[in-house]
Each structure stands twice: as C-alpha cells, then as structure tokens.
Amino acid sequence: IPIVICGKPGRSKTLSFRILLDSMKGEASKTPFCRQYPEIVAFQIQGSLSTTSSEILDIFKRGRTYQMNNKAKNVVIFMDEMGLAEISENNPLKVMHSELEQENDRISFVGISNWFIDASKMNRVIYNVVQDPDQNDIIETGKEIAKSYEINGDNYSKKYEDIILRLSKAYYKMITKKKDEKDKYQYFHGSRDYYSLIKSVLNDIIRNKVKIDNEIDKVIELSLKSS
C-alpha cells in the first residue's frame, strides 16, 4: 500500500522512515517482532525542481528488478521532497499515476512532502498528515532534547526545566500569533529553529559551567598553595 506523509519541515517525517529501515533488518533485526519479517531495502530518489519523469520511472524499474532477484527482501521506493517535484515545470509526477495503481503494485512506495499533493495522486495512496505541535508537544520536545545532554549525572532537563518551559512557551506564542495574523512569514521560524534554540542554550550552559568549574578549581589550588 503506497503512503505519502505530509507535514511542515522539522516534523520528523524522514526520521520516522529511517527508524523503520533501521528496525526492519530481517533476521538481523534487534527485536523479535521485527525478525519475523523480511528485510526492507530502500531505493531513494530526491525530489527537486529538476526531477524528470525518466528518473522516477528508472527508480521504479530498478526497484522491481531488485525485488524479482531478491524475493526474501521487501523493496520500498522512498521519495523525499515529493512536493518540490510536484511543482516542477517538468511535471515528473504524472508518471506515478500508473506506477501507484493496484495492478502495478509490486513494491512499496513512501513519499515525503512539506505540502499537499494534488488529489489525482492522493487518491491512490494512504495520505498521512502530520499535525502541527501544540504547546505541550513543544515543551515535551524541549525536555527530551535536554535529556540527551545529560552526562556525568547532570540532570539538565530537571535542573533547567524553568528555562526550557519559558523558551517553549515563548516560541509557541510567537508562531501562534503569526498564524492568527496570517503573516506571510508565519512559517519562517520552523521546528528546526526551536530545536536549535534549545540546543544552543544548553550548550552555553554547559560551556559556562565548565568555565566556572575551572575557575573554582584554580581558586582552590591557589588557596591550598598559600596555606
């Protein structure tokens, strides 16, 4: 069953597919559940304004040939930035109409797009729209990012919870205000900007903490020498 995942940049669309690939390794999979199923092999095509119909047909052809010669594996065609190919002057996605028809469905297809694709293609796929995060989603994401920085027992997500909370609320307030005002630049500061903000603040905290600790060590060392 072909599927298209649609959502704004930074919504982990591509990441979700990468997690699937890393998990589905056939008998080499880490979990017993995944070991029950064949390994997934991806044939990737990057959508762009210069994508052509022949490139899309070629990737499907290569995928089907590989599938015929490797029946113990499952082939999936993965198309990133499908939306860019959609607005290309070459109109390359027109050839996908037949490729996605049920009778031609010999291999799987996953497409990723930052915006809607036209209905003639969408009615041939399962269309999954990733919703925008609410304030709680943003706060929890900030906390999870902070947890990834926790080393040597430093609980940054708890220790600096108030800072993360304030930054998260401020970001959500900003994007909500721009959306309500129908600002034409309302999507300029996307999710990745928020992720970078939290990481940047945490990096500054860690860097300054090391600097302060070094200064304290110097003071202690000097005091011991003088005594």
Side-chain angles (χ1 to χ4, degrees):
I1 299 175
I3 180 171
V4 169
I5 306 172
C6 178
K8 296 184 182 69
R11 300 263 41 86
S12 302
K13 304 181 296 298
T14 303
L15 176 61
S16 65
F17 182 74
R18 295 300 173 196
I19 291 173
L20 177 68
L21 284 185
D22 290 341
S23 301
M24 303 298 287
K25 296 292 186 181
E27 293 181 356
S29 300
K30 295 179 181 179
T31 63
F33 175 79
C34 294
R35 285 196 288 269
Q36 301 177 67
Y37 300 97
E39 178 184 356
I40 292 178
V41 178
F43 281 70
Q44 181 169 347
I45 179 170
Q46 184 72 28
S48 70
L49 296 177
S50 60
T51 301
T52 62
S53 298
S54 59
E55 290 174 339
I56 294 175
L57 290 173
D58 179 64
I59 199 76
F60 272 93
K61 181 179 179 180
R62 286 166 49 202
R64 288 195 174 97
T65 300
Y66 185 92
Q67 183 72 84
M68 289 175 61
N69 297 327
N70 298 270
K71 297 187 183 297
K73 298 181 180 181
N74 281 341
V75 171
V76 55
I77 304 298
F78 176 63
M79 187 171 192
D80 204 355
E81 297 291 356
M82 193 174 176
L84 285 178
E86 169 78 2
I87 62 176
S88 169
E89 292 181 356
N90 301 321
N91 193 19
L93 298 188
K94 62 185 178 184
V95 298
M96 295 189 66
H97 291 177
S98 61
E99 296 294 341
L100 298 177
E101 292 292 351
Q102 189 66 35
E103 59 269 19
N104 292 328
D105 189 23
R106 299 290 181 269
I107 52 179
S108 302
F109 173 81
V110 175
I112 302 292
S113 178
N114 290 341
W115 54 80
F116 294 115
I117 309 297
D118 77 79
S120 63
K121 299 175 187 67
M122 292 305 93
N123 60 19
R124 291 175 167 85
V125 303
I126 296 297
Y127 192 52
N128 185 357
V129 179
V130 184
Q131 300 296 326
D132 291 340
D134 59 23
Q135 181 170 280
N136 187 61
D137 291 331
I138 293 173
I139 293 171
E140 291 303 313
T141 300
K143 289 180 180 179
E144 289 301 317
I145 292 174
K147 284 181 182 179
S148 69
Y149 280 78
E150 292 173 6
I151 54 175
N152 300 326
D154 285 325
N155 191 342
Y156 291 117
S157 60
K158 189 69 177 176
K159 192 172 183 179
Y160 303 108
E161 183 177 9
D162 186 60
I163 294 176
I164 295 170
L165 186 67
R166 290 173 182 271
L167 289 173
S168 300
K169 288 183 176 181
Y171 172 76
Y172 181 74
K173 183 178 180 179
M174 179 192 72
I175 60 174
T176 302
K177 183 174 184 292
K178 287 184 174 294
K179 187 175 181 180
D180 291 342
E181 294 175 348
K182 297 184 173 14
D183 190 323
K184 65 178 180 178
Y185 299 116
Q186 60 181 291
Y187 301 122
F188 184 81
H189 293 292
S191 296
R192 291 194 180 99
D193 291 305
Y194 168 71
Y195 306 152
S196 296
L197 170 66
I198 298 298
K199 291 177 181 179
S200 177
V201 170
L202 288 171
N203 283 327
D204 283 344
I205 289 173
I206 294 170
R207 194 159 45 241
N208 288 325
K209 181 179 182 299
V210 171
K211 182 179 178 181
I212 291 170
D213 288 345
N214 289 337
E215 291 298 324
I216 291 174
D217 290 340
K218 288 179 182 179
V219 171
I220 293 174
E221 185 178 349
L222 288 171
S223 63
L224 289 174
K225 287 181 178 180
S226 61
S227 63

